[in-house]
Amino acid sequence: METEATVPVTKSGSEEAVSMETGSGDVDLSAPSNTKDVEDDETKPSDSTHDERDGDGDRKTVDEVNDPYSYTKRDEFTSEIYKIEVSNLPKHYGHGQLKKMFANQLKLKPNKIKIFNRATHCFVTFRCEEDRETAIQAINSHTWKKCQLKAKKANPSEDPLIKRTQKRRAESEDSENRNKMSKREEEESMLLDDTIPIHERLNHVVTPLWQQSYSEQLKIKEDDMREFLCHLAKRLEKQCPNIAVHIRTQKRLHKQQCCNMEDIKSSPVIDNYRNKSEFSIGVSPDGQEKTIGFKMGRYKGGFDTVVEPSQCKHIPESMKTVVKAIQTYVQNSDKPAYSNHNHQGCWRQVTMRTSQNGDVMVVVLLNMHNLTKEDVDKEKESLRAYFEDGPASEHKPSSLFLQTLKERLGVKSVHNIDGPCELLLGDPVIHEDLLGMKFRISPDAFFQVNTKAAEVLYSTIRDWSGVSENTTVLDICCGTGTIGLTLAKNVKKVIGIEMSEQAIEDAKYNAKQNGIDNIKFLCGKAEDVLHKAIHNIYGCSDVVGILDPPRAGLHPRVIRAIRGCPFVNRLVYVSCSPRSAEGNFIDLCRPTSKRMKGEPFRPTNAIPVDLFPHTKLCELIIMFERDTPQRQRRDSSPTLETFTATSQSEATPSQSEKAPSQSDAVTNIPAECGTTQTSPVTAGEEGQTVENTDGGGGITPTTTSTSTEEGTNS
């Protein structure tokens, strides 16, 4: 099975850990949980909601509460007990190289690999003692990159919740030892401060800017995005020498940023805007079991309590009301809440969606711990009756689903597999209006969580990408087709690519419902189906790629596939976490090589759009344009340095005695100049004009006869 590496997720001192999953379902202990917070088959410390009781409500033993290694002593499997430390690694190597060395050269079967940047050691786990012993022998006799490797057994990682609990006890016994605290420790201390109302502490976790005015929030986010573009400029200048001249020019023109950034666009709705939320089920700070709401912090940080969302400013009232009704049902149930600590219990999570027309969708996740099929069927009927004609009938949702999670089976199990969402009550989908169009939303479909702000985002993409009736749009990670469908009426055709079959079905339905016939959807991984898309855009003169990937960004294979698609000359990358997608931005701009085929891109313009008021997050749109040989020659021409030197010096009367002619002005202004000029038509010229069409403030010459380079708009 092919292996994939995750993005850096934790830091240990000055070293940043990188977890590399090896297809076994094992996850790094330090990695944050996925969206559903659903564990794999391995027992390990992770985000959880539990108190000091097991799944049947019985008190756990004192040893289990105090022993940070108690999870390794249960019957469930964990590869942490088969861990080794590999040392004397070379100073420079890639995680992909390390995986291949273990798998191809040494024929090992690692379950989990954790490496650290700028470190010469790593940790590796295996699924049995035999594999571990084999690995130690093989590694100790192996030389890699002129380094004689060394391997030895290593201790398992400590349970972070128990570790923090012990730390709290020690701190409470000797408060004088709590002198200087890091910013994170101060925040965690605030979360433990009983003098602060619990709902305020929760708001500091889920909406950290909730006490700031909205204008202050926008200023914070805009400054953060500008800081990121300055950071990206340094990375691009260092790692992409092919566009270094362009980046240096952009830094001079745009306050050290890699490109121009326009002012942030605000959200039309500030409060009660979220149309989707995922609520955990656990124990409240005051000991109330089976509370439904948001966690006060991550398990890794030693927090495991859940607080109701009643005072959260970003959650709509309709959602809060239904959550309260479900909580009443769950608390009256004889089944316990699920605990990630011991992987026991049943009630796990509630996912809710709402729409502007009043639709409410509820998906309840039930872990099948010690439950028979008859038990589950009985629970389905009871939950349906509770909302249909029972105590919560006045809060009946438009759609009610129950999704089951298969019970952990121990070492032979590879993954926890979510069962299908089974409809208990109402319609299988809800509907939402966006930019005058109607969209169908199924339980697993992606849809922006702030509908009104999404209209601003999509309108910005439409106006900003320079599409026209001759444009073909390649919508990668299209989801239910929202971006492509909102652009379809303004372009020649749209091709959407998405790996989720259900999302593709929704996208096709949405296209038909809105009478759009110039759009085609391809189902599969982008890197696998892009070649099909190329056949559909062959001969198109203006192709714009739209990328709106998940938070972590796109797999490098997708970036390589886009680089190798010669028809795509402009890319609009939409990211809700630019720092997570930073690797994508750099790969788009790297010099052409055996690995990165096709001409590189360069960033030319950016604009942030706020979709998440009261939080620190916002969307950042970056325009990338193909770095053609003509652009490269223009960057390296002497006129650039001449212009730069002139622009940095002050004009004097003697310097201005001879004014340049209009033709000289056109010749001497490079593409990176942030000035807009238009040269009138002169005798002997074929209608040559100069206009600002470079997203980064560049000037691109165009002629009425033939054009050597496609114009770009932003």
Side-chain angles (χ1 to χ4, degrees), residues 465-466 542-545 568-572 601 623-625 711-712:
S465 57
D542 183 27
V543 179
V544 177
V568 180
N569 290 318
R570 300 199 305 282
L571 281 176
V572 179
F601 290 83
M623 170 72 80
F624 290 89
E625 297 180 3
T712 59

Side-chain angles (χ1 to χ4, degrees), residues 1-165:
M1 180 179 295
E2 187 165 3
T3 60
E4 296 183 7
T6 63
V7 297
V9 292
T10 63
K11 287 186 177 181
S12 175
S14 62
E15 300 175 344
E16 193 169 60
V18 180
S19 165
M20 298 193 299
E21 300 178 18
T22 59
S24 65
D26 198 352
V27 180
D28 176 16
L29 291 176
S30 61
S33 60
N34 59 19
T35 303
K36 287 190 175 181
D37 196 25
V38 176
E39 299 295 330
D40 58 23
D41 65 306
E42 178 177 338
T43 301
K44 60 187 178 299
S46 62
D47 289 344
S48 72
T49 56
H50 79 287
D51 66 348
E52 296 179 4
R53 299 173 184 268
D54 61 20
D56 298 322
D58 297 329
R59 280 283 177 185
K60 295 182 293 188
T61 65
V62 175
D63 289 342
E64 186 174 356
V65 173
N66 296 326
D67 183 5
Y69 301 103
S70 61
Y71 74 96
T72 66
K73 302 171 184 177
R74 296 198 292 263
D75 292 336
E76 295 169 333
F77 169 75
T78 173
S79 65
E80 284 290 315
I81 62 178
Y82 306 120
K83 178 190 279 189
I84 66 172
E85 179 181 359
V86 180
S87 59
N88 203 34
L89 289 166
K91 291 184 178 180
H92 304 288
Y93 66 92
H95 44 70
Q97 294 176 312
L98 185 64
K99 287 193 296 182
K100 289 181 180 178
M101 186 269 289
F102 283 144
N104 298 340
Q105 297 182 28
L106 300 182
K107 308 300 180 183
L108 302 180
K109 301 176 182 178
N111 191 63
K112 182 174 61 182
I113 305 172
K114 185 194 287 187
I115 67 174
F116 303 87
N117 290 340
R118 301 178 297 278
T120 57
H121 72 282
C122 72
F123 291 100
V124 187
T125 66
F126 299 87
R127 298 193 70 85
C128 64
E129 181 63 29
E130 181 181 355
D131 287 350
R132 178 166 72 167
E133 291 296 337
T134 300
I136 292 175
Q137 294 179 11
I139 293 172
N140 281 328
S141 61
H142 186 68
T143 299
W144 188 47
K145 291 180 181 278
K146 300 181 180 180
C147 295
Q148 177 62 51
L149 303 184
K150 299 179 181 179
K152 64 180 181 180
K153 294 182 179 180
N155 294 326
S157 298
E158 295 179 310
D159 185 313
L161 178 64
I162 297 177
K163 183 178 179 181
R164 174 160 287 278
T165 300

Side-chain angles (χ1 to χ4, degrees), residues 49-50 280-284 288-292 304-306 337-338:
T49 56
H50 79 287
S280 300
I281 305 177
V283 182
S284 68
Q288 178 64 54
E289 296 187 6
K290 292 185 280 192
T291 298
I292 300 181
D304 64 337
T305 54
V306 175
Y338 179 82

Side-chain angles (χ1 to χ4, degrees), residues 541-559:
S541 59
D542 183 27
V543 179
V544 177
I546 307 289
L547 306 176
D548 187 14
R551 183 180 300 273
L554 293 167
H555 193 280
R557 289 198 300 268
V558 181
I559 299 298

Side-chain angles (χ1 to χ4, degrees), residues 321-375:
T321 300
V322 178
V323 164
K324 190 70 174 178
I326 299 174
Q327 178 176 281
T328 300
Y329 176 86
V330 170
Q331 289 179 344
N332 290 331
S333 167
D334 60 353
K335 297 175 178 59
Y338 179 82
S339 168
N340 283 342
H341 178 73
N342 55 26
H343 308 292
Q344 297 178 0
C346 301
W347 300 111
R348 183 141 190 184
Q349 179 178 283
V350 176
T351 301
M352 290 192 60
R353 290 180 180 268
T354 60
S355 67
Q356 297 178 105
N357 57 22
D359 289 345
V360 177
M361 176 185 288
V362 177
V363 180
V364 179
L365 184 61
L366 184 71
N367 183 56
M368 295 183 64
H369 172 69
N370 292 335
L371 296 182
T372 64
K373 184 178 182 302
E374 291 72 20
D375 293 332

Side-chain angles (χ1 to χ4, degrees), residues 282-325:
V283 182
S284 68
D286 58 4
Q288 178 64 54
E289 296 187 6
K290 292 185 280 192
T291 298
I292 300 181
F294 294 118
K295 295 179 181 178
M296 284 291 291
R298 291 196 300 164
Y299 188 103
K300 175 189 171 185
F303 298 95
D304 64 337
T305 54
V306 175
V307 179
E308 295 181 26
S310 58
Q311 302 296 317
C312 293
K313 300 178 71 173
H314 63 323
I315 303 298
E317 292 301 322
S318 58
M319 196 175 286
K320 295 176 183 177
T321 300
V322 178
V323 164
K324 190 70 174 178

